[in-house]
Amino acid sequence: MPSWIGAVILPLSGLLLSLPARADVKARSCGEVRQAYGAKGFSLADIPYQEIAGEHLRICPQEYTCCTTEMEDKLSQQSKLEFENQVEETSHFVRTTFVSRHKKFDEFFRELLENAEKSLNDMFVRTYGMLYMQNSEVFQDLFTELKRYYTGGNVNLEEMLNDFWARLLERMFQLINPQYHFSEDYLECVSKYTDQLKPFGDVPRKLKIQVTRAFIAARTFVQGLTVGREVANRVSKVSPTPGCIRALMKMLYCPYCRGLPAVRPCNNYCLNVMKGCLANQADLDTEWNLFIDAMLLVAERLEGPFNIESVMDPIDVKISEAIMNMQENSMQVSAKVFQGCGQPKPAPALRSARSAPENFNTRFRPYNPEERPTTAAGTSLDRLRTVWRTMQDSVTDIKEKLKLSKKVWSALPYAICKDERVTAGTSNEEECWNGHSKARYLPEIMNDGLTNQINNPEVDVDITRPDTFIRQQIMALRVMTNKLKNAYNGNDVNFQDTSDESSGSGSGSGCMDDVCPTEFEFVTTEAPAVDPDRREEDSSAAGLGHSLLSWSLVCMVLALQRLCR
């Protein structure tokens, strides 16, 4: 062999050894990457036909690559968008649970109100006729206030119910004493004797306990559905940090840059990325689970005391009972009022000539449930039964969906990484993208929550700076959970401890004898609206007012089952 040939071969062999390993073959085609990149809707002008040196890359490995700087930027934004959509899609179930169930519950609620209004109004008109219609504004005002309370109005339940019975006493007192003329001041004096004389027997006390419990539970449950809906909607709209975006790009699209567009991330690799990106959402889980537990407790109240059998013991029977108590004790009541408020002035001769007490005895008679009308009112009652059963099914359905929504936020990474569109799955741990190449992912999986991400190998997480927005949602859940727990125990969601000042009656606490350790006095404070789309409207909204008045009637019916039989 000529000496010049050897002189050439030796330098060439040294040159081959000094080149990167890929230089011994032709540069690989980027055709597969071009096809996948174009399928994402990007311009093929950004991508080379063959691999190029990768020193320009800022996120992906700086090796031979099919990615230009423009491609890396676009794919980074694409990874961010896909992550946001994935979180929203994965949390769709829990958001749908609260949105659809809130709507469904509210629809049944309002249908129940409409049917109850017609049924109960028919019963009162048939039983008391003109005497009821002439004094119906007393009941209308009561139901208007109950409606305002239910929709989040500034209503003190105890004071409002006390006012109802005081006004009813004023009307009744005039009916049983038609021979006298009573001034406004005198009637105000009469109303002050409501608690002392107990002219309506024990009905007001029992009504107060049962109605407050019913309304507190109903309003708080609907508010809970609203809060759950709002929190779920807000938390599902994530804003990934720069560190998270880098990790997402590296996991989802660096395989493109390496010429491996069909290779998906390893499952455990995906879990570490998602746990780092969703660390704050996972911290919501503890308070969320407590909130769900409290919602389930109040749902049990709605299933228990509020059942269709209560409708068979209607409110007009109980009010009739109260009225008859007043009539039977009219002499004693009148004597004590005259003693305390003074002797009233006689009425004009024309009025005193009426035989009103006899008419009163005829019209205000005890209502017999066996005499319940079987025509229009009976039809309404049948419809009421149907609506109520449907509503009970709705509560049962909500309970089952609530149970499924527990631990939803800490489970997000697992739900996302289980999606075959995202990862290679647990069965393909060798042929998956591990962040550097197609091989097994070796690092351990991080635990849930922000503080556990201090050593996350994939995402740069600042554990000293919790997400303020998530902390606000945690606080909203904490406040709502406290309200739900109070509602379950029969306490108003806005109350103050007045055990040192209490008179000892305890009738306004909503507690049954020994259920509550201390007595509470309901206070008038502004409560959050049931639905931000249904703020309290003025009195001109007659249609809405009528349906909510029906709910008031029904709740009073339902509330009386156990204590007023």
Side-chain angles (χ1 to χ4, degrees), residues 260-270 417-435 437-442:
L260 303 169
V263 179
R264 292 179 182 150
C266 301
N267 184 74
N268 289 353
Y269 175 34
C270 173
C417 295
K418 186 171 64 175
D419 192 333
E420 62 182 10
R421 296 171 301 174
V422 178
T423 70
T426 56
S427 61
N428 193 5
E429 296 182 357
E430 302 294 339
E431 301 291 316
C432 56
W433 174 253
N434 65 7
S437 61
K438 185 170 71 171
R440 174 182 286 270
Y441 182 75
L442 298 178

Side-chain angles (χ1 to χ4, degrees), residues 121 159 173 215 258 262 271 283 331 337 342 358 364 382 392 413 443 491 535:
N121 186 67
E159 291 181 359
F173 192 75
F215 270 83
R258 292 301 309 277
L271 285 175
D283 283 347
M331 297 291 290
V337 170
E358 294 180 10
F364 275 88
D382 290 338
Q392 289 292 82
N491 298 325
R535 296 184 175 86

Side-chain angles (χ1 to χ4, degrees), residues 4 11 26 43 47 105 138 153 158 253 255 263 279 328 337 358 371 396 447 472 477 500 531 540-541 549 563:
W4 63 271
K26 185 179 179 181
S43 171
I47 184 171
F105 186 86
V138 176
E158 182 181 85
Y253 287 111
V263 179
E328 290 169 3
V337 170
E358 294 180 10
E371 299 175 10
T396 302
N447 290 324
Q472 291 173 348
L477 289 173
D500 293 335
D531 191 327
S540 65
L549 291 178
L563 292 179

Side-chain angles (χ1 to χ4, degrees), residues 2 25 45 64 93 95 111-112 131 136 198 252 322 343 453 491 527 529 560 562:
V25 295
Y64 280 97
F93 165 77
R95 290 184 290 111
E111 186 177 1
L112 183 69
L131 220 63
S136 62
K198 297 190 184 304
L252 296 173
Q343 190 70 21
Q453 307 311 309
N491 298 325
L560 288 166
R562 295 183 178 175

